[in-house]
Amino acid sequence: MDLTSLSNPLVTLDQLSSSSSQLDGLSTELENSIRFGGVQLTEAAGVLLRLPQEVIAQAVVIFTRFYTGPEGGSFLINPVKDVSAASLYMIAKISAIPQTPRSVLNVYAYLSLTAPKSRMDAPSDRQRPDPESHYLTTGAYLAARTTLLQTEAMILRALSFITKVVVPHHLALTFLQTLGVLPSPPTSKSRALAGRTISHLNTGLFSPQLLYLTHQPTALAVAAIYVAAKEIGVNLPCSEWWEVFDVDREELGFLVVGLGSSRLWAEQESRKWVEGKCPLTVEEIMLEMERGREVQ
Amino acid sequence: MASPMLNGSSHSPIGTALVHKNQPSKRSLELLPNGQPRFHGCSSIKRYNIVSKLGEGTFGEVYKAVSLKTNRAVALKKILMHHEKEGFPITALREIKLLKLLSHPNILKLEEVVVERKKEENNRRAILYMVTPYMDHDLSGLLENPAVRFSEPQIKCYMLQLLQGLQFLHASKILHRDMKAANLLINNEGVLQIADFGLARPYDDPAPEPGKGGGEATRDYTTMVVTRWYRPPELLLHLRRYTTAVDMWGVGCVFGEMFKGRPILMGNSDLDQAQKIFALVGSPTEDNMPGWSLLPGCDGVTTFEQKPNALHQAFREQGSSAISLLNELLKLDWRKRINAMDAIKHPYFTQVPLPAKPGDLPRFEDSHELDRRKFRGQKAAPPPAPAGGTVGMGPNGDFTHGVGPPNHHLSGYRGGNGNYPNGQGQYGPRRDHYDGRQQVPPVYDHRNPASHGPPPHRPTWARDVNGLPPGPGLPPRPPGPPPSAVTWGGQGRAPLVREDSRGGQPNGARDTYIPSYAANRENRDRVYRGRDCEQRNDDRGDRGRYDDRREQGPRELGRRRSRSPDIPRDRDRNRETYRR
Ligand SMILES: Nc1ncnc2c1ncn2[C@@H]1O[C@H](COP(=O)(O)OP(=O)(O)OP(=O)(O)O)[C@@H](O)[C@H]1O
Ligand SMILES: [Mg+2]
């Protein structure tokens, strides 16, 4: 397979060193928290829409790209909810399972009432809430749709129509197969290995280091496999197996640390906003900034 | 507010109205300290000087323009926004995504998407254009030029390039689904490129393998693709599990068209198309098209008059290897139809006369949709000299093109470099031929944006300096129902239920939600539409495509070009959706 099809455009150093939100006076810490909340929201909406994880992950990357760099969007200008919804809507549109604006907006209406604390809390089929509670009236729907489509157009232009996002999930499973650690029928250990690998990749989506914007999918896949294999105690064939996938030791080392700290950080964030909801609307963010100033 | 779509302020540039309706104090945030807009995104159409219109009607609008920066000629294709209810058209989104992904000398390169801001009354709207390098001709226009008759080395040269491009496309697991002469662009350097990815989509089954035709598909796709005259028999009979072989049929049609100077199968209805095909290559039997009788059939017709294969007769002026290749391409059995990599290796390309080198082909007067009107009815008239005169001479200076005898002597080019035709069917080595003539830069700058083009501080998605992203280009909706045959719920109320009893049927990208959830549980489930719609959803994109086109009524009859599947199918749309 042609390698360019497995790679993503990455961010530049400049884009990492500053952001629109920071220019607007947001602290890095609060910015990271809001991004975390936005990623969580996108995940939760994707789960409710029953989108496959790969599609959700692509939307998360689009969401994250949009807010990155001094020329990206700002959390103080472009509401998290709108950008999250439009990212999901746009990515689903070019996936095998497009969603109507109506489905997407209903889901966001629901989520704005009951923001789940973490994506693990997204309601299962059984607990799905009564749609009456979040069904949008025609007027509200039309207004929301206008915003949705405007935001979609804005994201597309801000990203110069680069809508391609390669996520490493599928790749990681292929690598595991190549490494001969996914026997068929699967063993409980191989199942656990695959599961942990994917779960590390999902955690990486929350990374405050923007791992998905700074590293290619092959590297992410290799790092997730490395961490998962260590955890589960699966021996991978040769000592330098990552070289086979063109990932060097240095990058692998960085990502292993990055994935590990993403997890700690995600747990910490989930705890942090347990009582007060993570600020996501422009108003909430402004309030939070005020509070921050008072504390100082 | 009558309709939110008409809210003028909502069309203004990013941020000014979008977010700050209630927060005017934030406006300053959209500007950098130096007063520059903070977002860059797409550049403005102002960087191009529009020269002329290349086409209109059939396909929205395409313009020829010159880049003020590079001075190179480009084509600007307008992205039609007919369905503001769904936002950015799914077909355009797919086309842009695919074109950005693909980088091959025989595939049209998308340079960028630019935006034009129009002020209409108190509305600002943005119109988007896809920018591609200007190509002097499309094959259909070229063939319509009475001064043009292709020599065999020239046909071989174009065919090889077409096959190389398709081989790459199929190896990249993409179906083009609109192969036809009008979508093949040719420049005066003799380079052929596949264009118009508006119907293309990723192919979810294995890429073709040597000797195995298009293989078998496991997944259903919509059959409402490919312009009728180029539509393969399996699509006319509504096979949903089709393969890359659908594109190969189109190649066969184009091949024949290059010999005849006009499309070889010009059916005036789907049924007529099928009958014309069977009259040319023989009617289907369990032998030549196993499983055909199990297919849904064409417009309800499942039996056809017995006809023998008449290809030899129809192309009797051609050599046996040409007919043999044509036979392979126009095979009724899609599993046995030759694939691109095998076709490249067909003896036709290694027998004399050998394929011409692209650079040695003659130049012609530009031919596009609008130009060709002037040729109409001229085909029989004495051919004027090709515009390029002697510019495109062969190496020996003896190449005269036009209506003369075939220029077999041109074939002095014997693949002396050993790489053309390339038996391996790899495009790698063949690049040499294009080098210097045609750049094949990487699609993206990965880590080092300074390596070409954009200044280093640009975000990857904001390479262009010029415009601040404008307001969303959603044209106000005209009053009254959309132009399709079906009326959808008006603006004022929620759309009516339009789902059939199967439930959950996603009806296009339209809103088909049941406005009240008081109904049964089945209805509720539709709020979050499930994955089970995967297949049907394939149709949605394509229908979007038809929707993007203009109503094309009976005018079609008078035209020489067959259109991409569009409006005639609009009518069938619902039936089709439910058929599955
Ligand atoms: N890069 C280009 N250079 C020159 N002419 C072009 C170029 N791109 C498109 N054209 C002209 O415009 C026509 C339409 O372009 P294209 O096929 O991409 O648009 P479309 O609207 O999708 O068409 P269709 O209705 O056939 O699907 C082509 O047949 C060709 O004549
Ligand atoms: Mg076309």
Side-chain angles (χ1 to χ4, degrees), chain A residues 9 45 84 106 125 135 147 213 227 238 274 284 290:
Chain A
S84 166
N106 279 352
D125 279 6
Y135 176 76
T147 305
L213 272 55
V227 180
C238 56
V274 142
E284 286 166 354
E290 285 294 314

Side-chain angles (χ1 to χ4, degrees), chain B residues 281-301:
Chain B
V281 302
S283 46
T285 62
E286 274 310 305
D287 229 24
N288 63 17
M289 196 177 186
W292 81 276
S293 55
L294 302 174
L295 295 175
C298 182
D299 287 348
V301 177

Side-chain angles (χ1 to χ4, degrees), chain B residues 314-333:
Chain B
F315 289 88
R316 57 185 174 278
E317 292 109 62
Q318 309 309 327
S320 62
S321 68
I323 296 180
S324 149
L325 177 57
L326 199 54
N327 232 327
E328 295 291 333
L329 290 164
L330 297 181
K331 266 221 166 88
L332 289 178
D333 184 355

Side-chain angles (χ1 to χ4, degrees), chain A residues 230 255 273:
Chain A
K230 275 266 147 67
L255 283 172
W273 302 106

Side-chain angles (χ1 to χ4, degrees), chain B residues 216-411:
Chain B
E216 296 256 16
T218 57
R219 184 194 186 292
D220 285 359
Y221 303 91
T222 174
T223 57
M224 298 191 297
V225 290
V226 191
T227 307
R228 187 192 298 130
W229 294 347
Y230 301 83
R231 204 176 299 151
E234 68 270 27
L235 281 187
L236 289 163
L237 297 172
H238 292 285
L239 171 75
R240 295 197 57 119
R241 227 157 259 195
Y242 56 81
T243 66
T244 52
V246 296
D247 290 337
M248 300 314 295
W249 178 272
V251 173
C253 295
V254 167
F255 188 28
E257 186 167 342
M258 285 197 275
F259 290 130
K260 297 281 182 198
R262 61 184 160 70
I264 57 170
L265 292 161
M266 300 163 72
N268 51 34
S269 68
D270 285 4
L271 183 57
D272 185 47
Q273 185 68 29
Q275 284 160 343
K276 287 207 157 74
I277 289 175
F278 301 149
L280 181 66
V281 302
S283 46
T285 62
E286 274 310 305
D287 229 24
N288 63 17
M289 196 177 186
W292 81 276
S293 55
L294 302 174
L295 295 175
C298 182
D299 287 348
V301 177
T302 50
T303 49
F304 298 91
E305 201 187 327
Q306 291 278 317
K307 290 272 171 68
N309 184 325
L311 210 58
H312 284 263
Q313 185 56 26
F315 289 88
R316 57 185 174 278
E317 292 109 62
Q318 309 309 327
S320 62
S321 68
I323 296 180
S324 149
L325 177 57
L326 199 54
N327 232 327
E328 295 291 333
L329 290 164
L330 297 181
K331 266 221 166 88
L332 289 178
D333 184 355
W334 63 92
R335 306 171 200 86
K336 295 233 176 78
R337 196 173 303 146
I338 196 167
N339 63 31
M341 63 179 80
D342 292 336
I344 288 168
K345 293 187 200 146
H346 193 276
Y348 177 62
F349 297 110
T350 46
Q351 284 172 9
V352 281
L354 288 176
K357 250 196 303 199
D360 293 343
L361 292 175
R363 291 164 158 257
F364 309 99
E365 196 183 342
D366 296 11
S367 22
H368 295 283
E369 170 71 11
L370 282 190
D371 305 319
R372 83 189 47 151
R373 289 192 188 146
K374 64 186 170 225
F375 297 135
R376 237 155 241 158
Q378 246 187 58
K379 194 87 185 175
T390 55
V391 191
M393 277 189 168
N396 310 323
D398 56 359
F399 180 61
T400 50
H401 189 270
V403 272
N407 297 282
H408 289 188
H409 55 284
L410 171 72
S411 53

